[in-house]
Amino acid sequence: MTDESGSNPTTGRTTDTDGNEQTTDQDAVSSADTFSIAEFHEASQHDGRPVLTAAAVARALEIPHEEATERLEVLAERGDLERLSVSTDPVVWYPTELEDLTDRERVLVFPKRREIVVDQPEQFTRAQLAQFAHLADGNGEGGYRYVVRPEDVWQAPHDSFEGLERTMRQALGQRSDSLETWVESQWDRAHQFRLVTHEDGYTVLEAKRPEVMGNVARQKLDEEHVHAPISETEDWVREGAEAAIKRILYEAGYPVQDQRNLESGEDLEIDLQVRLRDYQRTWVDRFAEAGEGVFVGPPGSGKTVAAMGAMVHVGGDTLVLVPSRDLARQWADAVVEYTSLEAHQVGQYHGGRKEVRPVTIATYQIAGMDRHRSLFDDREWGLVVFDECQHVPSDVYRRSTHLQSRHRLGLSASPIREDDRQTEIFTLVGPPIGTDWQALFDAGFVAEPELEIRYVPWGDDEQRNAYVSAEGRERYRIAAENRGKIDDVRYLLSAHPDAKALVFVDFLEQGRELSAALEVPFLSGETPHHERRRLLEEFRRDERDLLIISRVGDEGIDLPTADLAIVASGLGGSRRQGTQRAGRTMRPAGGALVYVLATRGTREEDFARRQLQHLGRKGLTVREQTVGHDGEE
């Protein structure tokens, strides 16, 4: 019904002479009243600036300019916005809180992007955010960007959504209905499927609802994975297909809760002889709640010791899988040093030794070989630890994941894979558990190294000309082996005469040239194990202050006292390699330095920038420096 003027008193709208409906001033005011500071921040994110004109707000929100102005004025009257007249535009608007950002926490939520931007966060806020969000960027100056991903919600350490909801509101200091709705939907997904053990001993896949079983599991799985349905919500699982089922449903967006009655192994009395740091205790507690997980933290954060805390919690026979026999030996020594176990209770199983004990450290390669597999299958393990677990998705390593113990634990500084198969790490081992790197830097547990990319000129015209005429991988090799880097390595070593230094190379010929030029040993895969062990021990005992190391040093050896790393070549490989090499200086002692050498004007420049961006997003400061022909800046 309309009155004589054409106005509809119920809707607040009018019709013109053509019958078209128009919005009244009353409706516009109502829209302005519902406009929130969060929507202003969303418009700010859309425009890429914290200071906006009414025209920018109108574009971002797709509303008329007049309505945008009215909404902004309402927020200004509430005290949420300030206005400022400038010469280029009648008025610009900005949040009142921008006037005082130097020393207080500020949290901005962008629900559509599921992003949270925090300035000057308190430690409590960061700890709360870590329970349901991923730290995507940290600028090292108090600004952090978190992203809430499905996997972050799936592994949130809460027994109910209400508990997670409380944590979110504590961290954000506000309610965000749309973000909470999305998080609840992901929480529901994470509780749709579970693997359980039937009373007759076989494994059953259970679904929460018949429609989820029919529309998801039975569409994705086939006779390789299940024998037959048991009921509308239960399928009989084929023996050995559990890991594949977990991976397939995870990729479909439905993580599976593994609640099978797996063997716990023989009881093992074990105590930890060192006190865990608070964040390590949190890791262990999170692992204890889930029964599985991946400890993610920078080198030097004590993942190995935290894993021993998990061993104490489990209290059963433990198998530790590592990439190399060097790391197996280090693990065996550490278990004896940091726990109550004696040497005869700790065995190593690799090319050099064949011992199966209550705690056994084996290499991935040998655990995956058919002729050795039965030795590990026949023993019931309470815990399997996958060290450097970023290897697990590789075909040669994943054969070891058939060892499905009651508890599984992974360790990794950087669970990133260039083939984008890192989600398999979390399905085959467990969800990520960690502390953001910047928190460890701030607390002094791990030293934040200074990173500098140095653009080095060619050492001679012969190599420069060879680079111009070469193609593909050969061009990268020539740039990597640029003999001009030898002079820059000399310059950096002379600039830090008291430093214990590591020089990393990717190519054997370059390593040999540096070794001859500097008259220091070159440790590579060709170095006999006994010689490698001797050199590393001398380095640890401060009897040697310089080593040149090939890819063998990226993983599998521990160099805790290095305070200078020079990456002469190798960052064209992967983001993980950049993390490992830079991470060799991340220890509690401060003052660590990392120099990355890249041949000026070649693809090495782009490689170095791209690989170190990953570390920059974790809060490390990355500088760039162009080097002259004499080695000086």
Side-chain angles (χ1 to χ4, degrees):
M1 181 182 74
T2 59
D3 58 20
E4 293 180 359
S5 64
S7 172
N8 187 324
T10 305
T11 63
R13 297 180 182 274
T14 61
T15 52
D16 59 20
T17 55
D18 295 325
N20 297 318
E21 201 170 40
Q22 295 180 321
T23 304
T24 65
D25 290 343
Q26 178 184 345
D27 191 60
V29 172
S30 177
S31 297
D33 286 339
T34 61
F35 186 52
S36 67
I37 187 65
E39 290 176 282
F40 181 88
H41 289 313
E42 191 170 332
S44 174
Q45 180 82 352
H46 178 276
D47 206 53
R49 297 184 302 168
V51 177
L52 299 177
T53 64
V57 173
R59 284 194 305 272
L61 301 181
E62 298 180 351
I63 58 177
H65 187 282
E66 282 188 15
E67 184 176 342
T69 301
E70 290 173 356
R71 294 188 181 193
L72 292 167
E73 287 175 348
V74 169
L75 284 183
E77 290 173 6
R78 294 178 187 162
D80 292 333
L81 290 182
E82 298 291 335
R83 55 166 65 86
L84 178 68
S85 296
V86 293
S87 58
T88 56
D89 198 281
V91 177
V92 294
W93 308 78
Y94 61 93
T96 303
E97 52 201 4
L98 280 180
E99 294 186 327
D100 181 25
L101 291 180
T102 57
D103 58 358
R104 69 183 181 90
E105 177 179 285
R106 182 172 69 113
V107 180
L108 303 180
V109 182
F110 301 97
K112 289 184 179 178
R113 301 188 183 196
R114 299 194 293 277
E115 291 186 359
I116 302 161
V117 178
V118 193
D119 286 322
Q120 305 298 332
E122 300 288 343
Q123 189 59 45
F124 172 80
T125 301
R126 284 164 60 174
Q128 298 294 87
L129 286 168
Q131 295 186 41
F132 65 90
H134 167 69
L135 179 62
D137 291 293
N139 63 16
E141 299 176 356
Y144 301 86
R145 183 175 67 88
Y146 290 84
V147 178
V148 186
R149 307 167 303 178
E151 56 264 39
D152 300 315
V153 179
W154 297 345
Q155 60 89 35
H158 291 276
D159 295 327
S160 65
F161 173 71
E162 288 70 27
L164 174 56
E165 186 179 56
R166 283 194 298 272
T167 296
M168 290 180 61
R169 292 177 183 178
Q170 288 173 342
L172 305 181
Q174 58 185 281
R175 290 184 58 167
S176 176
D177 291 339
S178 58
L179 181 60
E180 289 179 9
T181 298
W182 181 84
V183 168
E184 185 173 16
S185 71
Q186 293 301 320
W187 175 271
D188 186 60
R189 277 175 170 259
H191 295 80
Q192 290 299 321
F193 292 104
R194 65 179 190 143
L195 289 172
V196 297
T197 302
H198 191 272
E199 60 183 12
D200 292 332
Y202 57 84
T203 301
V204 174
L205 175 66
E206 285 188 357
K208 196 172 181 180
R209 301 192 305 270
E211 57 268 26
V212 177
M213 176 62 85
N215 296 332
V216 180
R218 289 174 183 164
Q219 296 295 322
K220 298 289 184 180
L221 305 176
D222 54 33
E223 61 272 10
E224 293 182 15
H225 309 109
V226 294
H227 286 289
I230 300 173
S231 71
E232 287 186 329
T233 58
E234 297 172 304
D235 276 1
W236 177 10
V237 174
R238 287 189 180 274
E239 186 176 357
E242 294 87 355
I245 289 172
K246 290 162 65 177
R247 184 181 69 254
I248 291 169
L249 293 182
Y250 187 100
E251 291 172 351
Y254 290 87
V256 179
Q257 295 185 342
D258 194 341
Q259 298 177 358
R260 290 173 289 162
N261 296 329
L262 295 169
E263 300 296 338
S264 298
E266 295 292 328
D267 289 344
L268 179 63
E269 292 189 13
I270 175 174
D271 294 312
L272 202 58
Q273 306 288 62
V274 294
R275 183 178 180 276
L276 292 177
R277 298 166 181 167
D278 289 344
Y279 67 86
Q280 291 171 320
R281 171 52 58 192
T282 299
W283 292 356
V284 174
D285 290 344
R286 294 270 295 277
F287 165 80
E289 291 176 5
E292 60 184 17
V294 176
F295 289 167
V296 179
S301 58
K303 296 184 293 295
T304 301
V305 172
M308 293 178 201
M311 290 166 58
V312 172
H313 166 75
V314 172
D317 284 359
T318 299
L319 175 64
V320 181
L321 298 174
V322 298
S324 70
R325 68 169 70 176
D326 288 319
L327 196 54
R329 176 183 55 79
Q330 292 168 21
W331 254 96
D333 292 344
V335 170
V336 173
E337 180 180 356
Y338 295 121
T339 76
S340 58
L341 296 181
E342 298 181 5
H344 68 86
Q345 296 174 284
V346 182
Q348 298 180 51
Y349 202 101
H350 47 68
R353 299 168 68 171
K354 301 289 191 297
E355 306 158 345
V356 178
R357 304 277 174 76
V359 173
T360 301
I361 300 103
T363 57
Y364 282 105
Q365 293 93 329
I366 210 160
M369 292 180 181
D370 291 336
R371 66 178 182 273
H372 298 290
R373 188 178 297 176
S374 63
L375 289 170
F376 302 108
D377 284 343
D378 293 344
R379 195 175 188 113
E380 296 175 352
W381 303 102
L383 171 65
V384 177
V385 178
F386 300 86
D387 199 3
E388 304 287 1
C389 69
Q390 64 273 4
H391 292 292
V392 166
S394 300
D395 294 333
V396 68
Y397 289 101
R398 70 182 302 164
R399 289 200 296 269
S400 62
T401 59
H402 72 285
L403 295 162
Q404 293 286 298
S405 68
R406 181 186 291 271
H407 301 287
R408 293 176 301 281
L409 174 64
L411 310 179
S412 181
S414 183
I416 293 173
R417 292 182 56 85
E418 303 306 309
D419 58 10
D420 292 325
R421 290 171 67 183
Q422 57 260 30
T423 57
E424 292 190 29
I425 297 170
F426 306 132
T427 60
L428 295 171
V429 181
I433 299 170
T435 304
D436 73 69
W437 289 28
Q438 189 64 46
L440 301 183
F441 298 152
D442 293 347
F445 290 123
V446 180
E448 177 182 349
E450 298 179 32
L451 273 66
E452 180 175 292
I453 305 175
R454 295 174 64 81
Y455 303 116
V456 181
W458 286 103
D460 56 58
D461 290 337
E462 180 185 353
Q463 280 189 313
R464 186 207 304 265
N465 294 335
Y467 176 84
V468 171
S469 60
E471 295 181 357
R473 181 69 179 173
E474 182 65 11
R475 297 192 91 193
Y476 170 69
R477 184 190 63 78
I478 295 170
E481 294 182 339
N482 172 18
R483 284 186 283 273
K485 293 179 180 181
I486 296 176
D487 291 335
D488 202 48
V489 170
R490 281 202 184 98
Y491 169 77
L492 292 172
L493 292 174
S494 65
H496 306 286
D498 299 325
K500 291 190 64 176
L502 301 173
V503 180
F504 290 99
V505 298
D506 224 23
F507 296 93
L508 294 178
E509 186 58 35
Q510 183 188 29
R512 296 186 189 108
E513 287 189 359
L514 276 165
S515 177
L518 301 175
E519 298 182 344
V520 296
F522 173 39
L523 195 157
S524 72
E526 297 178 349
T527 308
H529 280 282
H530 70 275
E531 178 70 5
R532 186 188 305 178
R533 182 171 182 174
R534 181 184 66 81
L535 291 171
L536 294 175
E537 287 299 327
E538 289 176 357
F539 193 88
R540 290 190 183 92
R541 292 196 300 262
D542 295 335
E543 296 170 6
R544 185 177 296 280
D545 59 9
L546 177 61
L547 284 175
I548 301 168
I549 299 180
S550 73
R551 282 187 180 221
V552 74
D554 290 339
E555 298 164 344
I557 60 175
D558 186 21
L559 300 171
T561 56
D563 49 17
L564 171 64
I566 302 173
V567 182
S569 63
L571 283 184
S574 68
R575 289 169 288 171
R576 187 182 74 248
Q577 191 176 66
T579 301
Q580 292 289 347
R581 291 185 169 181
R584 291 303 168 199
T585 64
M586 291 186 193
R587 296 294 185 251
L593 300 167
V594 179
Y595 293 102
V596 176
L597 311 187
T599 300
R600 190 192 308 164
T602 70
R603 291 183 63 195
E604 259 200 327
E605 288 191 357
D606 297 330
F607 282 139
R609 288 193 189 98
R610 185 172 67 249
Q611 310 306 10
L612 290 182
Q613 278 176 356
H614 171 60
L615 292 171
R617 286 193 293 269
K618 290 182 176 295
L620 277 69
T621 301
V622 180
R623 300 191 305 268
E624 299 181 63
Q625 184 69 55
T626 300
V627 179
H629 283 279
D630 56 0
E632 297 183 0
E633 292 101 23

